[in-house]
Every structure is written in C-alpha cells, then in structure tokens.
Amino acid sequence: MTQDVVDVLISPEGRLEVLSKAEVAKLLDTSKSGLYDVFRKCALAVLNTGSSIDDGKELLERYRDFEISILQRERGIKLDIRSAPAIAFVDGKMIRGIHEHLFSVLRDIVYVHFEVTSNPKFDLTRPDGITDAVFHILRNANVLQPQRNPNLVVCWGGHSINRVEYTYTKEVGYALGLRELDICTGCGPGAMKGPMKGAAIGHSKQRIKGGRYLGISEPGIIAAESPNPIVSDLVIMPDIEKRLEAFVRTGHGIIVFPGGAGTAEEILYILGILLHPENAEVPFPLIFTGPATARAYFDQIDQFIRLTLGEAAQQRYKIIIDDPEAVAKEMYAGIKAVREFRKAHSDAYYFNWRLKIDPEFQKPFRPTHENMRNLSLHRGQESHMLAANLRRAFSGIVAGNVKEEGIRAIEQYGKYEIQGESAIMEPMDALLASFVEQSRMKLPGKAYTPCYTIVQ
C-alpha cells in the first residue's frame, strides 16, 4: 500500500543554488512579517499537483504536519521536506517537473520580497511602478524572450469543467500547437491544462522542441489550482492583480473557455482594459469558445456584458462555438495583426508596454466583508470603471470559494453582501446562479454553498 506522505531532502538543479543568510532567515521566519507561511502554502500546492483538492483550507488541514526547511551547506542549499504528499513522488523520488516547480516557487518568493517589495526602486503606489515590477518578476523568471515572434496565446477558463468541455480545450490547444503557437494559462487543471496538453501534441507533430507552456499563479490561488504537469515554466506573482497584468502584458491574444467566477473576473479585467479610450486602436484578439453544449453559457455571458458594460464591450471579442480550427485560424490572424502593429510602432514583442491599464485594475483588492459591501456597482460611471468594480466583486467570490483566507472569513463573519443598482445586480445574480447550477464553482462531486448574497 502506497504511503500518504514522504520525507525527503532535495537539492536545486542548476538554479537558485545559493541563498544569503538574510534570505534563509526570512523564509524560515514564522512571524507575520516572515515568508515561511506563504512559502509553505505554495510549496505544498506544488507538491499536491494532480490531486482533486480545490480548497486552500482543506489542503492545509489535510497536510497539517507538512514542513519545509532550508539547509545551508558549503556547496549550496538543500530543502528538507517533511510529510509531503506522496503523489509528488515515484518510487520515493520526486517527479522532476514538480522538483522544478518547487524551486520556481522559491525563486519568485525570494525575488519578490527582497528585490521588489523591499526595494525603493519600485514605487508600487504608481501605475508605472507596478508595471515595472511585473516586468522584472517575469524577466527574473526568464519568460520574456525577445528573440521570439509574437505567438503566446493566453487561455482562460474554469478548473471545474465537464469532460466534453475539457476535451474541447484540448482540441483547440492542438489546433493552436499545429500553428506553432505557445500556451499560457493559470497553470491549474481543467481549462488550464487541456490547451497545454493539446498544444504539446501539436508541437510534437510539428517537431517543435522549444514549445512553451507558461503557468502564472499567485499565492492565494495556487492551492486551489495546483500546477498541472504540462507547465514548463511556472511564475508566482505576488497578488491576483499583478497575475492578471502579467497575462495581458506577455500574451498576444486571449481565448476564454467556459468557467465560473474566476473566469468572469478575467473577462471583466480584459474588457475593462480594452474599453479604456487609450486602447481603442490597440489590436488584442479575444475569443470566447466552447463545444456546442456551451452555447447557452456564452449566450448568458454575452447578455451579462451587454446589460452591464454595453455594446462597445461586445465589439471587443468574438464568440466561436464548436469549431477549434476556426478558433485557431482567427487567433493566428489576430496575432499576425498584433505583430504588424508592434512592428509599426517599434514596440517590444515580448511585453506589451503600450497597453494602458487604469490604476483601478492594478490596486490590490482585499475582499473583506466591508470592501465587498462598499463596491460601486451602478451605471453612473465610465464603463471601464464599472468593469473594474465588477471584477473586484467576482474576485471576492473566488476568494470565498477557494482561498484559505476567504474561506475562513466566510466561516467567521458569514456570507459577503454584494449590493448595487438593480440593473447590474439582476444579471449578475442570474449569471452566478447559472454557475452554481452548472457546477462551475467547485470540482464535480463537491457540494457548493454560496459565499455571497446579492442585495438589490
């Protein structure tokens, strides 16, 4: 019988072999100002790759004895790991991809704390300072590659999707891979894994050896969306806002598959950016797609956008149902237009500096009960500002559904109250109700109790 947990001592392979005494001390500091808590949570999530847990609190409680320490030796560091999930090992040896992801977590946590948040060079109160920080985190992770032509497709969608929808995401990924397009996702299961899996086969058929499968996560969400095994490059951004900015700055187009509250948050984020007047002429292909069974899902998404953000928002995306080839051809043509635009304006291919992101989309939003209750959800504001506030509402629901901190807050203080103008609240309530009915809030087989109440 396979044991449930494993103890192991591991060394880095070619990366992050040396840490300073100050870095080690901060990583092992269990106080509020220390990094141990976030390091432990992210490490446990990576080691839990392949499991069916999508609840940060449940994961931490199941492996409450899990510990990870850093040992400094003359030749470099080692990680001393105790009570790790056995799923991360084969015959007592850690799976190589998980081993790499573990040191990616260590790399990003160390870099963000010592080189970004504690560095006066980055003014994280200013929009340009935040974008600069996003750039440096991605550059440090070696995912910005100036020698490549634009070819990175960001794929968004739910971790809790059915088998038909999952198969469709693979078919789209395969069609993209045959056209030598790379994939970036939120790194988790479901609609984040399928496109990578399909593209890997397409790349293999085209004998592409350098295909990229970029996964971008953040500490609050990684426990619910542990990196899938296809991810070749993992980056941990400090918060959800910088994670979303990383997607749109590095990606050359976005495909949205069916999903739940998190996918709605992502849709509202990109539409809010594209609706900004300064982005009116910036090409950015955005496609919503799913199998025939998802037609009603996207009809409802489309209706929600029309009723809240208006027809101008509907002009910024295309809906293609049950046609992977058409999706791939449309995206390929869209990325070609992106290349021509950036070439004409002498813009970088690897980072979209020109895209205007309003500060309201960059400020970290903490979904406390008070902040959720005080969101400005009414039509008397510019459409991109309404999108920013709707994005925050869905972000809070995601936190209450899967993030450890959010789940504990709901247990302590009850459901979030989301209130606003009836013209906004009614379509939002209908959309959320459909997500619950279609089991898009939690993995199949898990009962879902809403963490929110809509107040009109």
Side-chain angles (χ1 to χ4, degrees):
M1 181 176 177
T2 304
Q3 64 186 97
D4 294 325
V5 295
V6 174
D7 296 343
V8 69
L9 197 65
I10 63 170
S11 303
E13 293 183 5
R15 65 170 75 182
L16 207 71
E17 294 178 346
V18 178
L19 290 175
S20 72
K21 289 184 178 180
E23 288 169 335
V24 172
K26 201 70 176 177
L27 281 163
L28 299 182
D29 184 354
T30 58
S31 70
K32 281 193 175 182
S33 64
L35 296 178
Y36 182 76
D37 188 48
V38 67
F39 177 43
R40 177 177 178 268
K41 287 177 184 177
C42 291
L44 178 57
V46 165
L47 292 164
N48 198 50
T49 294
S51 84
S52 59
I53 296 177
D54 69 342
D55 182 322
K57 177 171 170 281
E58 180 187 344
L59 178 61
L60 289 169
E61 290 178 349
R62 180 177 295 188
Y63 296 100
R64 63 177 72 248
D65 295 329
F66 171 73
E67 293 180 4
I68 183 165
S69 300
I70 300 169
L71 305 179
Q72 282 187 309
R73 304 286 172 85
E74 289 77 5
R75 293 202 222 164
I77 66 167
K78 286 184 179 288
L79 294 184
D80 184 10
I81 303 172
R82 304 296 176 92
S83 299
I87 195 173
F89 300 84
V90 174
D91 297 334
K93 188 173 182 180
M94 187 176 291
I95 296 169
R96 187 176 294 274
I98 292 175
H99 185 284
E100 289 181 359
H101 290 166
L102 196 57
F103 281 94
S104 294
V105 164
L106 183 59
R107 174 202 66 207
D108 293 338
I109 289 174
V110 168
Y111 184 79
V112 166
H113 179 80
F114 287 93
E115 302 297 333
V116 178
T117 57
S118 299
N119 189 344
K121 174 177 127 181
F122 296 102
D123 184 354
L124 298 180
T125 65
R126 292 173 49 84
D128 55 348
I130 293 172
T131 297
D132 206 28
V134 170
F135 171 84
H136 278 80
I137 294 167
L138 293 170
R139 187 177 70 175
N140 183 65
N142 198 35
V143 299
L144 301 180
Q145 300 181 7
Q147 71 275 17
R148 287 177 178 259
N149 278 322
N151 77 330
L152 188 63
V153 182
V154 174
C155 294
W156 285 339
H159 72 295
S160 178
I161 58 175
N162 60 45
R163 176 54 61 175
V164 172
E165 291 171 348
Y166 176 70
T167 299
Y168 183 80
T169 68
K170 286 198 296 184
E171 291 170 352
V172 171
Y174 174 68
L176 295 171
L178 288 177
R179 289 162 178 80
E180 302 185 22
L181 297 174
D182 291 337
I183 307 294
C184 173
T185 76
C187 90
M192 291 165 276
K193 178 182 176 182
M196 289 185 169
K197 203 166 186 180
I201 298 171
H203 288 161
S204 179
K205 281 195 172 183
Q206 293 286 24
R207 298 299 187 262
I208 297 170
K209 298 190 183 301
R212 287 196 297 166
Y213 315 101
L214 173 61
I216 303 177
S217 193
E218 56 99 0
I221 203 72
I222 191 172
E225 296 175 357
S226 294
N228 72 67
I230 317 298
V231 173
S232 58
D233 295 286
L234 176 66
V235 185
I236 309 298
M237 303 301 291
D239 52 56
I240 188 65
E241 287 77 14
K242 292 177 186 62
R243 180 198 193 197
L244 289 168
E245 182 164 350
F247 281 129
V248 301
R249 296 285 187 194
T250 57
H252 303 109
I254 294 175
I255 294 174
V256 181
F257 296 103
T263 304
E265 175 185 5
E266 291 162 340
I267 290 172
L268 290 162
Y269 180 85
I270 186 59
L271 286 179
I273 289 170
L274 296 179
L275 285 170
H276 195 287
E278 292 186 33
N279 293 325
E281 304 304 319
V282 177
F284 201 106
L286 176 60
I287 301 171
F288 298 172
T289 189
T293 53
R295 186 182 300 276
Y297 169 86
F298 283 111
D299 285 346
Q300 189 153 14
I301 290 282
D302 189 47
Q303 182 184 35
F304 173 76
I305 292 168
R306 178 176 59 81
L307 292 173
T308 55
L309 302 181
E311 293 182 5
Q314 291 179 295
Q315 303 305 311
R316 293 307 307 236
Y317 58 85
K318 291 187 177 181
I319 299 176
I320 300 175
I321 300 298
D322 205 28
D323 196 338
E325 284 285 316
V327 172
K329 287 179 180 178
E330 183 73 28
M331 182 54 64
Y332 187 85
I335 289 179
K336 187 177 180 181
V338 168
R339 183 180 185 276
E340 295 305 316
F341 179 85
R342 296 204 193 173
K343 189 175 181 181
H345 292 83
S346 299
D347 290 343
Y349 290 159
Y350 55 88
F351 194 82
N352 194 345
W353 291 104
R354 179 177 287 267
L355 198 67
K356 171 67 177 178
I357 300 182
D358 192 279
E360 292 302 312
F361 289 91
Q362 293 182 307
K363 294 176 185 173
F365 174 69
R366 189 160 173 262
T368 64
H369 281 68
E370 182 181 6
N371 288 343
M372 290 289 283
R373 195 178 302 113
N374 292 333
L375 287 172
S376 181
L377 302 174
H378 58 80
R379 289 176 296 181
Q381 56 188 315
E382 292 182 274
S383 57
H384 69 277
M385 295 306 298
L386 175 56
N389 285 311
L390 283 168
R391 197 283 300 177
R392 290 172 176 139
F394 281 97
S395 187
I397 292 170
V398 172
N401 284 349
V402 301
K403 293 186 180 182
E404 182 215 0
E405 184 179 5
I407 293 169
R408 293 191 189 280
I410 298 299
E411 288 176 348
Q412 186 173 359
Y413 303 111
K415 297 180 179 181
Y416 292 131
E417 288 184 0
I418 305 173
Q419 56 188 2
E421 184 181 352
S422 293
I424 303 295
M425 291 295 95
E426 287 178 6
M428 183 176 179
D429 195 15
L431 185 64
L432 287 167
S434 72
F435 290 167
V436 175
E437 184 182 351
Q438 296 165 24
S439 300
R440 298 191 183 277
M441 295 294 207
K442 298 290 285 182
L443 288 171
K446 292 192 174 184
Y448 176 68
T449 302
C451 65
Y452 60 89
T453 299
I454 300 293
V455 181
Q456 297 181 24

